[in-house]
Amino acid sequence: MEIFGIPTQALFGQLLIGLINGSFYALLSLGLAVIFGLLNIINFTHGAQYMLGAFVAYLLLNKLGIGYWWSLLLAPIIVGATGVVIERLMLSKLYKLDHLYGLLLTFGLALIIQGCSATSTARRDSPTQCRSSSAAGATWASCSCPIYRAWVIVASLVVCLSTGT
């Protein structure tokens, strides 16, 4: 069966990938909007901290042997603590200054975080395998979705709906 000349399996697969990517973008943009609204600083570090959360979860899961659910719980707490340290030590001094200073500081911090994570890990040409129960997936309309990707959609919906007015 085809819809608009596209096989349904391919169409639903693309829609699912679009929904997952859109959920990532919604979380990132919501974080940027909240930080700018509360602190009045353009935070370019937000994306690097998002990446740092994934990196910390990977380290907890694969290097330290902590379970999937504990890693999922601890990673945002650890990255949130680094965000508090950055805010207290650096960003708090820029509140009364022009937006350009905050933009330059957070852009530099983003480059530092990305550089540290790139040099601390070996680059691989093959994707990382997920060894936990999260690698299992659900099938919807002939498309399989791993549980860890479905959690992105659920978390994005919860966060976006809980911050709405």
Side-chain angles (χ1 to χ4, degrees):
M1 185 174 157
E2 292 184 355
I3 299 175
F4 303 117
I6 303 169
T8 55
Q9 185 174 4
L11 180 65
F12 285 129
Q14 290 299 315
L15 288 174
L16 187 61
I17 289 171
L19 184 62
I20 292 167
N21 287 339
S23 298
F24 279 121
Y25 293 142
L27 286 173
L28 281 170
S29 64
L30 182 66
L32 287 170
V34 167
I35 289 170
F36 184 71
L38 292 175
L39 301 178
N40 204 21
I41 287 183
I42 301 169
N43 187 4
F44 267 54
T45 312
H46 189 74
Q49 287 178 308
Y50 196 79
M51 180 260 326
L52 187 63
F55 184 70
V56 167
Y58 170 78
L59 288 178
L60 290 173
L61 185 63
N62 291 321
K63 301 297 182 191
L64 298 179
I66 296 176
Y68 173 75
W69 294 107
W70 284 107
S71 297
L72 194 63
L73 178 72
L74 291 174
I77 294 170
I78 293 169
V79 174
T82 62
V84 168
V85 169
I86 288 171
E87 193 276 330
R88 296 281 185 227
L89 294 178
M90 297 176 210
L91 291 177
S92 63
K93 296 170 181 25
L94 302 177
Y95 290 151
K96 303 279 191 241
L97 300 176
D98 191 337
H99 292 298
L100 183 62
Y101 294 106
L103 180 114
L104 289 173
L105 174 68
T106 57
F107 184 70
L109 287 172
L111 291 176
I112 290 169
I113 291 170
Q114 290 171 359
C116 289
S117 67
T119 58
S120 65
T121 60
R123 300 202 180 210
R124 298 179 182 176
D125 291 333
S126 61
T128 304
Q129 298 297 320
C130 188
R131 357 171 257 146
S132 68
S133 61
S134 66
T139 302
W140 172 71
S142 307
C143 299
S144 62
C145 178
I147 291 174
Y148 65 90
R149 288 192 180 165
W151 275 111
V152 172
I153 298 169
V154 172
S156 178
L157 282 172
V158 168
V159 170
C160 289
L161 293 175
S162 66
T163 56
T165 56

